Amino acid sequence: MKTIKGPAIFLAQFLDDKAPFNTLDSITDWVSGLGYKGIQIPTWDARAIDLEKAATSKTYCDELTGKLADKGLQITELSTHLQGQLVAVNPAYDAGFDGFAPDSVKGNPKARTEWAIQQLKWAAQASQNLGLKSHATFSGSLLWHTMYPWPQRPQGLVDMGFTELANRWLPILNHFDEHGVDVCYEIHPGEDLHDGETYEMFLEKVNNHSRACLLYDPSHFVLQCLDYLQYIDFYHERIRAFHVKDAEFNPTGKQGVYGGYQSWVNRAGRFRSLGDGQVDFASIFSKLTQYGFDGWAVMEWECAIKDPVQGAEEGAPFIASHIIQATSKVFDDFAGGGADIELNKRILGL
């Protein structure tokens, strides 16, 4: 067993135009002061990192990690959630997802996809330059608009969709493999990879690629009524990243999983700050430790009720209190567990 690293924090929800959230230098002073030891960096935000420069300049990466080390911080992973989303976009969502793309490729889905793929490849190179082994992203989606099959999906549609998704991701996965980095898909509603079944379908299409791994975030499973603890039993060998994020699901006589088009605060299923939801983090940390996960426990703050600053302040001690120092000895060693062949034979009557 190994000890999970942490606490860490995903910067995406905190970067802002106001100090101390407007520069990497000031926001890392803030998170370090709260007790965090790691940061997950959103690569689409130029306030946090110059992705192309990180991909092409080891010197830039060394200077970045050095400055963070002086504050007691490490980079846990880079994130390309928004760029990964744009690797595969159904035309029904073009207008919405164009907002994630630079102006130069908006309105041009082919160019937008090519831009996204290049971003992912830079992320692989940047991760290697930074000494990182895991990378956080989304899969994108071609099929989500058919999630509830009405009208019925045409025969072969799902297979074709996953074949195309795999064709887009295989060169990216191979590129990450060349740079020694795992691609950790956050399994998430809105993505074609949104539960265990869809992940397995994708994994089959990419020939069980060793770099097609997982970012585990239990909040998205609470909102799907999925057993998030058994999920760890199924997929622990592929879990290489971890978002510590809480959620609650309180169905009523008026709405359930789909939320009735309500705002987040009025949905039956909603994200909450750590400790305010229904996720059994004690069991999660136990299972991940049991299976030898030694990556980072990264707080992703999203809450419909609580202020983000309060959420961040509470997050570091919450994670720290759940990290289990993995034992290096068997608890009943005192009873004399050494092997004695002759004693064993006598006990067995041999």
Side-chain angles (χ1 to χ4, degrees), residues 147-161:
M147 183 269 296
Y148 196 89
W150 179 254
Q152 288 296 314
R153 290 184 290 259
Q155 186 174 356
L157 180 72
V158 172
D159 185 73
M160 181 180 292

Side-chain angles (χ1 to χ4, degrees), residues 27-42:
I27 197 172
T28 50
D29 283 340
W30 176 67
V31 300
S32 176
L34 294 179
Y36 291 98
K37 299 177 181 179
I39 56 169
Q40 189 176 86
I41 295 181

Side-chain angles (χ1 to χ4, degrees), residues 46 53 56 70 84 98 147-149 151 155 163 186 203-204 240 251 281 320:
K53 192 171 183 178
T56 55
D70 289 342
D98 258 358
M147 183 269 296
Y148 196 89
Q155 186 174 356
T163 298
E186 183 170 355
L203 203 56
E204 181 181 2
R240 305 293 170 80
F281 284 108

Side-chain angles (χ1 to χ4, degrees), residues 9 13-14 16 18 20-21 30 34 36 265 271-274 276 299-315:
I9 187 169
Q13 287 83 3
F14 297 95
D16 192 88
K18 298 179 181 178
F21 310 109
W30 176 67
L34 294 179
Y36 291 98
V265 73
F271 300 123
R272 299 299 308 275
S273 285
L274 296 185
D276 295 343
M299 186 191 81
E300 182 184 19
W301 177 87
E302 288 182 344
C303 185
I305 296 175
K306 185 170 284 182
D307 180 81
V309 171
Q310 182 183 0
E313 291 171 345
E314 296 173 350

Side-chain angles (χ1 to χ4, degrees), residues 22-222:
N22 56 340
T23 70
L24 185 65
D25 187 51
S26 59
I27 197 172
T28 50
D29 283 340
W30 176 67
V31 300
S32 176
L34 294 179
Y36 291 98
K37 299 177 181 179
I39 56 169
Q40 189 176 86
I41 295 181
T43 62
W44 61 85
D45 196 318
R47 291 170 295 195
I49 194 170
D50 183 328
L51 181 58
E52 182 177 4
K53 192 171 183 178
T56 55
S57 173
K58 183 69 163 59
T59 300
Y60 171 79
C61 290
D62 289 343
E63 290 174 351
L64 176 58
T65 55
K67 290 177 181 178
L68 292 172
D70 289 342
K71 304 181 184 191
L73 293 171
Q74 299 179 51
I75 300 173
T76 65
E77 300 92 10
L78 299 180
S79 157
T80 56
H81 282 81
L82 301 192
Q83 301 100 310
Q85 181 77 65
L86 300 184
V87 168
V89 176
N90 185 279
Y93 297 95
D94 272 339
F97 285 139
D98 258 358
F100 294 167
D103 290 341
S104 59
V105 299
K106 288 179 180 177
N108 187 337
K110 184 175 184 295
R112 186 184 60 204
T113 300
E114 291 171 352
W115 173 84
I117 291 171
Q118 180 61 70
Q119 289 277 302
L120 266 295
K121 290 182 176 180
W122 280 340
Q125 296 160 214
S127 294
Q128 182 183 45
N129 285 340
L130 291 164
L132 305 176
K133 297 300 182 183
S134 299
H135 178 74
T137 196
F138 279 150
S139 68
S141 175
L142 300 173
L143 287 162
W144 181 253
H145 67 299
T146 72
M147 183 269 296
Y148 196 89
W150 179 254
Q152 288 296 314
R153 290 184 290 259
Q155 186 174 356
L157 180 72
V158 172
D159 185 73
M160 181 180 292
F162 274 89
T163 298
E164 176 61 24
L165 190 68
N167 287 343
R168 297 188 188 191
W169 274 103
L170 263 172
I172 301 171
L173 290 167
N174 289 337
H175 192 75
F176 271 86
D177 190 37
E178 291 169 8
H179 294 277
V181 181
D182 294 323
V183 177
C184 301
Y185 296 103
E186 183 170 355
I187 304 303
H188 188 293
E191 311 301 316
D192 279 343
L193 275 58
H194 58 268
D195 60 10
E197 297 286 1
T198 51
Y199 173 63
E200 289 184 15
M201 287 192 287
F202 177 75
L203 203 56
E204 181 181 2
K205 292 291 186 181
V206 295
N207 305 314
N208 292 308
H209 202 292
S210 63
R211 298 295 179 180
C213 296
L214 294 167
L215 187 163
Y216 175 72
D217 183 334
S219 69
H220 303 300
F221 301 150
V222 170

Side-chain angles (χ1 to χ4, degrees), residues 218-219 221-223 225 228-229 245-251 268-284 318:
S219 69
F221 301 150
V222 170
L223 270 57
C225 301
Y228 55 84
L229 294 176
K245 183 174 159 193
D246 213 341
E248 63 184 352
F249 181 64
N250 300 301
R270 57 189 185 179
F271 300 123
R272 299 299 308 275
S273 285
L274 296 185
D276 295 343
Q278 298 167 346
V279 175
D280 181 358
F281 284 108
S283 293
I284 287 172
F318 182 92

